[in-house]
Amino acid sequence: MRRADQVISSDTKAGGDECGGVGILGISWAFGGMIFILVYCTAGISGGHINPAVTFGLFLARKVSLVRAVLYMVAQCLGAICGVGFVKAFQSAYYVRYGGGANSLADGYSTGTGLAAEIIGTFVLVYTVFSATDPKRNARDSHVPVLAPLPIGFAVFMVHLATIPITGTGINPARSFGAAVIYNESKPWDDHWIFWVGPFIGAAIAAFYHQFVLRASGSKSLGSFRSAANV
Ligand SMILES: *[C@@H]1O[C@H](CO)[C@@H](O)[C@H](O)[C@H]1NC(C)=O
């Protein structure tokens, strides 16, 4: 079994040699910085929904309706397919060299470890989303302006640093799906369920933790779940 630091050093070396010294740190900055920009730009339009796991968490917290959540997820997956298609069309050499950016479990890690990495990583991301967009927090700390996309982008950055060596870092099922569809090889498709199940579990834990453990509104939400079940 390869040890984690061996995987990191070999991956960093590969990325560093072939990508102008970029490596894991550069990839993590690219994801985190881009998420910061995308959330910053789309927050006022659609609420910054570019990740099915985040949308699922906000749906569980009753901040997005079911119909809207499903339509967002379809749009997110279509957008991801288009994005990876553009990369393949315009940067085909890098695309082939880096396996189409498709997520799969790295050698030496068990399925359970990969699933746990996706659960924990998505928990960190979705918990940060709840924390950064909490209206009560904004009201309480109004003297400290919160630029929500910044902590969200940083959460994405940190999670990439931690989990790129294990799964290539999904934490966004649409991103994993788009890469798998365009790359269309058996290994990413075999592992693909991890990148839906893991993020959705992580998002659910974050939603329930924030709504029911941290927030007084939890009992109210629970009540509406109960009454919905009774209808
Ligand atoms: C993906 O690969 C499978 C099997 O190799 C093939 O049957 C299928 O047509 C491919 N799909 C696309 C969209 O290329």
Side-chain angles (χ1 to χ4, degrees):
M1 210 161 130
R2 288 164 87 196
R3 280 176 31 231
D5 54 356
Q6 288 173 316
V7 176
I8 291 169
S9 67
S10 66
D11 286 356
T12 310
K13 204 161 148 235
D17 288 349
E18 293 162 14
C19 212
V22 175
I24 285 180
L25 201 53
I27 296 167
S28 302
W29 272 120
F31 273 100
M34 200 64 211
I35 291 298
F36 166 66
I37 292 170
L38 290 176
V39 173
Y40 184 86
C41 292
T42 61
I45 302 167
S46 66
H49 285 259
I50 51 177
N51 182 335
V54 174
T55 300
F56 180 65
L58 292 173
F59 163 72
L60 290 180
R62 314 223 129 194
K63 294 178 195 289
V64 187
S65 72
L66 177 62
V67 173
R68 184 177 279 253
V70 170
L71 291 176
Y72 275 161
M73 289 180 197
V74 171
Q76 289 154 0
C77 290
L78 292 177
I81 293 170
C82 291
V84 182
F86 278 125
V87 173
K88 187 178 181 180
F90 293 121
Q91 289 285 354
S92 56
Y94 285 114
Y95 179 86
V96 171
R97 189 176 300 156
Y98 295 113
N103 287 124
S104 59
L105 201 56
D107 292 342
Y109 288 100
S110 68
T111 304
T113 305
L115 194 59
E118 290 299 315
I119 292 172
I120 295 167
T122 312
F123 172 83
V124 170
L125 170 61
V126 177
Y127 180 62
T128 305
V129 170
F130 275 106
S131 177
T133 60
D134 186 346
K136 284 185 187 163
R137 177 209 188 99
N138 288 338
R140 187 187 64 215
D141 301 334
S142 57
H143 58 292
V144 184
V146 181
L147 182 61
L150 192 60
I152 293 169
F154 260 98
V156 169
F157 169 65
M158 298 308 296
V159 170
H160 275 79
L161 282 184
T163 63
I164 282 177
I166 305 172
T167 59
T169 309
I171 73 168
N172 182 337
R175 165 257 187 280
S176 303
F177 181 71
V181 167
I182 300 292
Y183 193 54
N184 198 26
E185 296 280 341
S186 60
K187 168 75 170 153
W189 277 130
D190 289 346
D191 294 346
H192 191 59
W193 64 273
I194 292 172
F195 300 96
W196 285 89
V197 174
F200 274 50
I201 292 175
I205 296 171
F208 280 88
Y209 179 62
H210 188 265
Q211 291 299 105
F212 299 131
V213 180
L214 294 185
R215 284 282 157 243
S217 69
S219 54
K220 243 187 281 168
S221 311
L222 196 63
S224 66
F225 265 115
R226 284 200 189 111
S227 57
N230 290 339
V231 171

